[in-house]
Amino acid sequence: MAEIRSVLARLDASFDPDSDVFDDHTDTAIRAFQQQRGLTVDGEVDEETWLALDASRWRLGSRALFHAIPHPLIGEDVRTLQERLLEMGYDVGRPDGVYAARTARSVGQFQREVGLAPDGSFGPQTMHALRRLGRKVVGGRPQWLREAEAFRQSGPHLLGKTVVIDPGHGGPDAGIVVPDGPLRWTESELTFDLASRLEGRLAGAGMRVHLTRGPHPSARIPDRDRAQLANDLHADLLISLHIDGYKTPEADGVSTYHYGDGTSDGVTSTVAERLAGLVQREIVARTGMRNCHTHAKTWDLLRLSRMPAVRVELGYLTSPLDRDRLVNPLFREQAIESIVAAVQRMYYPVENDVPTGSIDVRQLRMSLSGGLPVKA
Ligand SMILES: [Zn+2]
């Protein structure tokens, strides 16, 4: 009876487990519990009620979950997990709190997507991966599952991957333009410089690199053509580089964009969202720019490209603070190193990921030849 009371106390904060009589209060709590769970409401703790009470004490993460045969694990933790998987679009059926074959299969799918061994068991690594994804709800699942699966199957290294780098604007379309004494800073020239640096670094790490344009294109190149080029090249990644502008000098900071319709239950590319997050965090950590965060957008370049694609707005050319940074080649090199580190982290399996700012990208070739680095 003490055990029943302690379970009831956990379910209902107003319940006093130390009361030594099996009183009206206990009876009421049991009835409420039975009603909530769809059990026969009689205030009696029969086997069915006891099993339900026992199951209710498990919180997700408090024990390892796996598909046990013939007696499956039952509990609130299983139900919580099923609800999370359902939210993310996995086919777990009804969230019944029973860890049976369908739940194990969904966990396996999820594990594959995040780069874990798909054993269908829910242990600390899988819990960690679920937490990392946050509570973002993901719709349109099959498409993004395929994208994630293709990404995973391409293997945990940069060697031989194709990346398309897109320097924003160009030619007659200069993008943001800021006069500075006798000088004139333009977004299109700075993004081309950044793209060239990134090209050198990623090619040096063994990737196949293409730019969407040269330094002086004769005509404006629409984003849909840039996306098409990346599709035609069967690129593994598309990284678009822009610099922002605003009507007043106060706005500054870096932001990164990935495909998504921006609603809480909307469609998003999970792989691109992860890349955007890594790019954003590495740049903020390594350069100290203001963090203007990552955002989901349906822009042509992000929507029409068939690989994980991100667009970085590396500061505001209209901000004196950011402009001082951007015109400094050392800063541009630092920003590019941040993006290289983010791309490298994309290809580590989740369990091998490393803290932001910790990858020495000059050591990249060594880490490639020596296998994956050990988690710090
Ligand atoms: Zn731009």
Side-chain angles (χ1 to χ4, degrees):
M1 213 36 71
E3 208 173 344
I4 290 173
R5 281 200 294 264
S6 82
V7 172
L8 288 170
R10 222 165 306 162
L11 294 171
D12 175 3
S14 70
F15 185 81
D16 175 14
D18 299 324
S19 161
D20 53 357
V21 282
F22 193 70
D23 55 9
D24 284 356
H25 193 172
T26 309
D27 184 71
T28 308
I30 290 173
R31 283 172 188 275
F33 176 78
Q34 288 171 326
Q35 189 163 28
Q36 186 201 342
R37 291 305 144 102
L39 303 168
T40 309
V41 181
D42 56 9
E44 300 291 321
V45 182
D46 56 6
E47 199 191 345
E48 191 188 24
T49 300
W50 169 244
L51 281 176
L53 276 170
D54 185 50
S56 70
R57 63 200 170 92
W58 295 106
R59 292 289 166 265
L60 191 59
S62 59
R63 61 174 173 172
L65 296 170
F66 52 93
H67 183 201
I69 301 168
H71 300 296
L73 295 173
I74 300 172
E76 271 312 292
D77 49 350
V78 180
R79 190 194 307 271
T80 305
L81 174 63
Q82 289 169 325
E83 281 166 356
R84 287 293 312 275
L85 290 168
L86 263 184
E87 278 177 356
M88 294 194 295
Y90 293 95
D91 176 26
V92 296
R94 198 168 59 87
D96 56 5
V98 182
Y99 204 99
R102 209 161 164 184
T103 302
R105 207 161 41 235
S106 298
V107 169
Q109 269 181 345
F110 170 75
Q111 289 170 320
R112 234 193 319 274
E113 176 176 345
V114 297
L116 294 172
D119 62 4
S121 305
F122 190 80
Q125 284 189 342
T126 312
M127 178 77 186
H128 181 62
L130 193 70
R131 285 214 173 109
R132 280 171 55 109
L133 281 181
R135 290 203 62 88
K136 182 106 200 157
V137 178
V138 186
R141 198 62 184 185
Q143 182 189 349
W144 305 121
L145 266 178
R146 277 195 299 277
E147 182 185 89
E149 176 63 7
F151 190 83
R152 191 197 62 83
Q153 280 181 356
S154 67
H157 41 73
L158 303 183
L159 207 66
K161 300 282 185 345
T162 300
V163 59
V164 169
I165 303 169
D166 172 45
H169 311 275
D173 169 17
I176 306 293
V177 180
V178 175
D180 181 8
L183 298 168
R184 181 175 173 269
W185 300 109
T186 69
E187 179 185 359
S188 62
E189 281 170 15
L190 286 168
T191 56
F192 189 79
D193 173 272
L194 288 161
S196 305
R197 289 171 193 272
L198 185 56
E199 177 186 27
R201 301 305 294 270
L202 292 178
M207 294 186 94
R208 282 195 289 262
V209 191
H210 299 266
L211 264 54
T212 54
R213 67 169 174 93
H216 306 292
S218 56
R220 184 182 163 272
I221 309 165
D223 275 354
R224 84 183 79 88
D225 293 359
R226 301 172 193 241
Q228 188 57 49
L229 174 74
N231 292 343
D232 292 345
L233 289 165
H234 301 286
D236 295 284
L237 293 176
L238 171 57
I239 300 170
S240 183
L241 301 170
H242 283 250
I243 296 162
D244 227 330
Y246 194 64
K247 56 184 187 291
T248 67
E250 284 82 28
D252 68 282
V254 55
S255 49
T256 310
Y257 301 85
H258 59 90
Y259 178 73
D261 68 6
T263 60
S264 62
D265 57 350
V267 176
T268 185
S269 161
T270 46
V271 183
E273 186 179 353
R274 174 148 185 261
L275 178 60
L278 290 172
V279 166
Q280 181 70 16
R281 289 204 297 277
E282 289 286 347
I283 292 177
V284 168
R286 289 170 190 254
T287 68
M289 289 185 110
R290 183 192 304 279
N291 187 353
C292 299
H293 306 284
T294 63
H295 306 274
K297 293 285 175 190
T298 56
W299 295 332
D300 279 359
L301 186 93
L302 305 177
R303 191 183 74 250
L304 301 174
S305 52
R306 289 199 294 265
M307 71 292 307
V310 297
R311 169 164 158 177
V312 186
E313 293 278 353
L314 186 68
Y316 284 76
L317 203 49
T318 45
S319 150
L321 181 68
D322 279 355
R323 192 164 60 244
D324 276 353
R325 290 174 162 133
L326 286 161
V327 301
N328 179 353
L330 289 176
F331 167 83
R332 296 203 293 272
E333 199 56 38
Q334 225 176 14
I336 289 314
E337 285 195 354
S338 314
I339 298 176
V340 173
V343 170
Q344 176 63 85
R345 283 177 71 185
M346 270 309 276
Y347 285 101
Y348 292 160
V350 166
E351 69 270 27
N352 286 83
D353 197 13
V354 296
T356 297
S358 70
I359 295 179
D360 182 350
V361 293
R362 285 160 302 184
Q363 304 290 317
L364 217 53
R365 302 210 75 160
M366 284 171 67
S367 75
L368 284 168
S369 56
L372 293 168
V374 178
K375 186 168 182 166

